[in-house]
Amino acid sequence: MNHASDALPPSGLWIRIAGALGFLGVALGAFGAHGLRGKIPENLLSAYHTGVLYHLVHAVAILALALHARATGARLTGPLLCLSLGILLFSGSLYVMAISGATRLGMITPFGGVLFLVGWAWVSICLGRRA
């Protein structure tokens, strides 16, 4: 049986990462709503808000997975990494693209989306076999 202490990094660190990602998502959302409105084209503002939505949804998912790992001893490092890197690549590329106007950065966004898909599939496999 795997224990939470076997997971690298430990679930407590993932809980802190989830909290930091949640905090950052709210801060970036507020910045987009108040600091970018009227300063960037509407299509880029929409892309920015999409980044915030996916950022926050996946921060909550990371928190839920970390709490589950802590409670059950499940090893979920793979899906946690995929979801975290997905936020970085998907949401991060949309943030930078919207703020800088460098729409070529949109080429990075699908890689983050693929990481989200892999992370969710991994969750399905890891948690589905425990049921």
Side-chain angles (χ1 to χ4, degrees), residues 82 85-91 108-117:
C82 286
L85 292 173
I87 291 172
L88 178 68
L89 292 179
F90 184 89
S91 298
I108 297 170
T109 309
F111 293 103
V114 168
L115 283 167
F116 286 149
L117 292 171

Side-chain angles (χ1 to χ4, degrees), residues 1 11 16 22 32 36 39 61 70 74-75 77 91 93 118 124 126:
M1 181 172 143
S11 59
R16 289 190 295 280
L36 295 179
K39 294 186 173 99
R70 174 179 275 180
R75 288 190 57 139
T77 303
S91 298
S93 65
V118 169
S124 176
C126 287

Side-chain angles (χ1 to χ4, degrees), residues 38-103:
K39 294 186 173 99
I40 64 173
E42 193 60 38
N43 65 318
L44 292 178
L45 187 60
S46 177
Y48 186 94
H49 288 308
T50 299
V52 170
L53 173 64
Y54 278 73
H55 181 148
L56 288 171
V57 165
H58 288 89
V60 171
I62 291 165
L63 177 61
L65 288 171
L67 290 170
H68 176 77
R70 174 179 275 180
T72 65
R75 288 190 57 139
L76 298 172
T77 303
L80 287 163
L81 277 172
C82 286
L83 297 179
S84 298
L85 292 173
I87 291 172
L88 178 68
L89 292 179
F90 184 89
S91 298
S93 65
L94 291 177
Y95 297 148
V96 175
M97 180 183 74
I99 292 168
S100 71
T103 55

